Amino acid sequence: MQHESRSGRSFPLGVTLSPDGANVAVFSAHATRIELCLFDAAGERETARLTLPELTDQVFHGFFPGLRAGQIYGLRAHGPWAPEQGNRFNPAKLLLDPYAKAVTGALIWSGPNLVDPADPFALDPRDSAGLVPKAVMVAQAGPAAAGPGTPWEQTVLYEAHVRGLTKLHPDVPERLRGTYLGLAHPAVIEHLVKLGITAVELMPVAAFVDELRLTRLGLSNYWGYNPYAFMAAEPRFAMGDALAEFRTMVTALHAAGIEVILDVVLNHTAETDILGPTLSFRGLDNASYYRLDPGDRRRYHDWSGCGNTLDLAQPRVLQLAMDSLRHWAALGVDGFRFDLATTLGRTRHGDFAPDAPLLQAIAQDPVLGRLKQIAEPWDLGPHGYRQGEFPPPFAMWNDRFRDSVRRFWRGDEAVLSDLAGRLLGSADLFEHAGRRPQASINLVTSHDGATLRDLVTYVQRHNLANGENNRDGHHDNLGANYGIEGPSDDPAIRAVRQRQCRNMLATLLLAQGTPMLLMGDEFGRTQSGNNNAYCQDNELSWCAWDLDADAASLQDFVRRLVALRREHPLLRQVRYLHGRRHSEAGVPDVAWLAADGHRMHHRHWHDAANRCFGLRLTDDRESLLLLASAATREQAFNLPAPPTRWRVLIDTAEPQRSLEVAETVTLAARSLMLLQAV
């Protein structure tokens, strides 16, 4: 079959379809020639190789009449094989277009995709076309309708996995379980709405591959932090057209008033280290796309811990990152959570800078700057922990909140001072530059670690199923088992575990800042002690929806907490509270109280054994009192006056209790109360 070509345009990058054919534009600063390879409808037989005829400003481009949506294609790049210079051009490797909007096929770990560890820098002449994913040409769709636009102060996040949330849901048709359409099912959306969730934060959905080690163990990359196509929706979550089904999911969630936040991985790719496969970027322009070791340009800087690091200081790589984010925004996505975001802020010299190119580009972008942006403020590189240092408009996952809450309820000493700051939105970390308390993404659990139920059931990690001899995952969950490691039939142990779950959930949802729930924590999902279930695409990670009485009770409790947060603006302040503003009655906006009902003094804060406090929040409309005790015995607490009476809104010791109290209230061991002045 003959295909004519024209010069076409160097912009936009990728494939742009028109009624007459396809414009193809591919960046490479060091290639000498790039070919467009066409495949049959099955993606198995290569039917044509067409040279991109023009080169403009380091972009190879051409227009090819007659090409249509659905055409499967790949690229081959010619140039020097000179690993010592950072160049790894090898036309035997079929490459994916970095701007691919849809993909088909899978990476097969055999033959040309296996690098000889004894000679990793040798040129491999074996053709990889039959063993790698390929791109599919798609027509440009119109932009999605605007999402709910929920203000930050009203936001309640829910971290979820497309497959894990829906795979076992009995009300979702079996064929839809584990898919985008499964997440769009009314039964799943109803659950989120009843909880009061305003935004789902989805773990990665950009196309990703399973690592060789996992494949050999019969496992797979469940979490998805191993991308090879930044703009293509992962096909394993789709029944057919992944792009269309993803849009359907977003539309359904928006119709229910729920925003969609995507967890994106822009710090590394699935090509990993020198032993990884050549899928796209490495073959198109290794020296441009990746951070290379200046002392040995055959090798990579690895600040992600995954083998390589994208060079986001390179303008065209920065452009790819920005274009990928705008692509998802055009599909209706309401914001992004950036994995290992410190890497995204590293400059040419490797140092972190709040004014790094990508961070500033996102902030000033007329589309992205209006969306919710969340940073995971660390990576594995030098000085990688950058909590509180990301510029506006980035909010940040707050691990300090997580650890303080876990330590306090476990009964650790000398935690109270740090916990106090976390409960008021972590002003010490975020109040600069006009930031609001919502910049603190408060969490007690996330995908990366133990579930809430496991925090109160296991002390040790139990990760043998991962095939790493229980060496992977964090060694200390800051959890407790309350008498026995693992499940227990002892009513006393079960009762304290349930109460501790309620305590941590209440602390999360009643604190200032933006709360984030982990999928399934609302009804006690367990991973049997595995705190690094990244490779467990099975019932260990999936939500089990057959709720027993304890699970149903916990779920109802979470609904009440979220409803209280929604009903009481005092619990979601847009300004930091420092006790400087006073109500009309002269009561400060925030006050810390000791068990005697009076203000806490230095002796209370510095008493390492003190595990009890009161936090009073007041404005001109109402006054709320949060009481908490991590002590193992009852604690009497004198209530402040005025007023003379308080109504109990939440009691983690007796979740169904509702009563009014006057001068004194008794906190059960390890319990929390929220009271309202009446």
Side-chain angles (χ1 to χ4, degrees), residues 2 23 25 39 70 112 153 172 178 184 197 238 248 259 273 281 303 384 427-428 482 507-508 527 572 619 624:
Q2 297 298 316
N23 191 82
F39 288 82
E153 65 270 17
V172 175
I197 300 303
T248 298
E259 294 183 313
D273 58 16
F281 314 96
W303 296 327
D428 58 324
Y482 304 100
T507 308
L508 171 68
Q527 291 175 172
R572 42 184 176 83
D619 62 16
L624 298 176

Side-chain angles (χ1 to χ4, degrees), residues 152 155 157 373-375 387-388 393-402 421-431 435-443 508 511-516 565 576:
W152 266 114
T155 296
L157 295 167
Q373 309 291 350
I374 302 170
Q387 182 63 274
F394 289 89
M396 283 151 271
W397 270 25
N398 192 345
D399 61 317
R400 294 274 298 275
F401 181 96
R402 176 198 66 200
R422 307 306 139 226
L423 292 177
L424 292 182
S426 297
D428 58 324
L429 300 175
F430 303 117
E431 195 175 12
R435 306 301 288 274
R436 302 294 180 92
Q438 288 70 39
S440 176
I441 305 299
N442 297 335
L443 64 150
L508 171 68
Q512 304 297 323
T514 304
M516 186 187 83
R565 184 179 184 86
Y576 283 98

Side-chain angles (χ1 to χ4, degrees), residues 313-336:
Q314 209 285 345
R316 290 294 189 180
V317 184
L318 170 63
Q319 179 185 353
L320 172 62
M322 291 295 291
D323 286 347
S324 71
L325 297 175
R326 292 192 198 100
H327 165 71
W328 292 109
L331 296 176
V333 168
D334 304 281
F336 303 94

Side-chain angles (χ1 to χ4, degrees), residues 58-287:
Q58 300 180 330
V59 175
F60 292 83
H61 56 93
F63 183 86
F64 301 91
L67 296 182
R68 299 285 183 264
Q71 174 66 57
I72 298 173
Y73 72 103
L75 304 168
R76 295 183 189 271
H78 297 256
W81 177 264
E84 69 283 356
Q85 299 173 16
N87 293 322
R88 292 172 171 267
F89 295 101
N90 183 355
K93 305 299 183 183
L94 187 77
L95 308 173
L96 193 81
D97 178 4
Y99 278 73
K101 307 298 193 301
V103 294
T104 185
L107 170 65
I108 307 300
W109 284 104
S110 65
N113 290 325
L114 298 176
V115 176
D116 182 359
D119 193 6
F121 305 114
L123 179 66
D124 183 356
R126 296 173 295 176
D127 195 290
S128 67
L131 302 170
V132 293
K134 302 172 182 67
V136 182
M137 295 184 182
V138 298
Q140 182 69 30
T150 307
W152 266 114
E153 65 270 17
Q154 297 176 20
T155 296
V156 178
L157 295 167
Y158 185 85
E159 191 190 26
H161 188 281
V162 171
R163 189 192 298 278
L165 184 62
T166 65
K167 187 64 177 176
L168 299 177
H169 201 298
D171 296 328
V172 175
E174 189 170 356
R175 63 190 180 87
L176 299 181
R177 294 175 189 170
T179 69
Y180 304 117
L181 296 181
L183 205 156
H185 191 272
V188 177
I189 291 179
E190 180 185 21
H191 173 73
L192 298 173
V193 170
K194 285 184 175 180
L195 275 182
I197 300 303
T198 71
V200 290
E201 183 179 301
L202 294 180
M203 292 173 66
V205 300
F208 58 90
V209 300
D210 302 323
E211 295 90 331
L212 175 60
R213 185 189 69 83
L214 296 181
T215 301
R216 286 174 169 169
L217 289 172
L219 300 171
S220 63
N221 188 316
Y222 169 67
W223 284 357
Y225 293 93
N226 199 33
Y228 68 92
F230 295 126
M231 301 188 195
E234 171 54 48
R236 73 183 80 183
F237 301 148
M239 299 177 62
D241 185 336
L243 185 64
E245 293 175 26
F246 178 85
R247 286 181 66 115
T248 298
M249 177 195 71
V250 172
T251 299
L253 288 165
H254 281 177
I258 299 173
E259 294 183 313
V260 177
I261 312 292
L262 285 192
D263 195 333
V264 292
V265 183
L266 295 175
N267 52 72
H268 77 281
T269 80
E271 291 181 315
T272 66
D273 58 16
I274 60 173
L275 300 179
T278 297
L279 301 175
S280 177
F281 314 96
R282 176 177 288 154
L284 284 171
D285 195 345
N286 185 66

Side-chain angles (χ1 to χ4, degrees), residues 378-592:
W378 50 81
D379 70 6
L380 277 68
H383 309 291
Y385 186 74
R386 296 290 174 167
Q387 182 63 274
E389 298 182 37
F390 280 75
F394 289 89
M396 283 151 271
W397 270 25
N398 192 345
D399 61 317
R400 294 274 298 275
F401 181 96
R402 176 198 66 200
D403 293 353
S404 292
V405 172
R406 292 184 182 188
R407 289 182 186 278
F408 176 78
W409 287 113
R410 188 173 67 170
D412 289 12
E413 293 190 341
V415 179
L416 197 53
S417 293
D418 192 62
L419 178 66
R422 307 306 139 226
L423 292 177
L424 292 182
S426 297
D428 58 324
L429 300 175
F430 303 117
E431 195 175 12
H432 57 280
R435 306 301 288 274
R436 302 294 180 92
Q438 288 70 39
S440 176
I441 305 299
N442 297 335
L443 64 150
V444 175
T445 55
S446 69
H447 71 273
D448 190 5
T451 67
L452 182 66
R453 179 175 170 184
D454 288 355
L455 274 181
V456 300
T457 307
Y458 301 91
V459 173
Q460 306 297 326
R461 61 191 174 193
H462 295 267
N463 299 353
L464 282 172
N466 297 353
E468 299 183 46
N469 296 317
N470 209 38
R471 293 192 301 266
D472 62 304
H474 203 281
H475 70 281
D476 184 5
N477 294 322
L478 301 178
N481 61 28
Y482 304 100
I484 185 173
E485 186 79 352
S488 173
D489 293 327
D490 186 318
I493 292 176
R494 291 170 62 90
V496 71
R497 288 175 175 177
Q498 279 289 103
R499 186 182 305 173
Q500 290 288 62
C501 285
R502 292 192 293 268
N503 286 333
M504 286 187 276
L505 287 166
T507 308
L508 171 68
L509 288 161
L510 301 178
Q512 304 297 323
T514 304
M516 186 187 83
L517 282 166
L518 173 64
M519 126 187 134
D521 273 357
E522 68 271 22
F523 47 72
R525 180 175 71 90
T526 178
Q527 291 175 172
S528 299
N530 191 318
N531 72 355
N532 189 35
Y534 74 101
C535 56
Q536 299 298 327
D537 190 2
N538 51 52
E539 293 188 4
L540 188 74
S541 295
W542 302 338
C543 283
W545 294 89
D546 51 340
L547 308 187
D548 60 17
D550 286 345
S553 174
L554 187 62
Q555 180 173 265
D556 289 341
F557 183 74
V558 173
R559 290 172 178 171
R560 290 175 56 202
L561 287 170
V562 177
L564 281 172
R565 184 179 184 86
R566 183 173 59 248
E567 294 162 5
H568 297 277
L570 269 177
L571 298 173
R572 42 184 176 83
Q573 295 285 291
V574 296
R575 295 182 180 86
Y576 283 98
L577 305 176
H578 294 291
R580 299 172 189 146
R581 296 191 299 273
H582 292 72
S583 68
E584 293 177 354
V587 180
D589 56 10
V590 60
W592 294 94

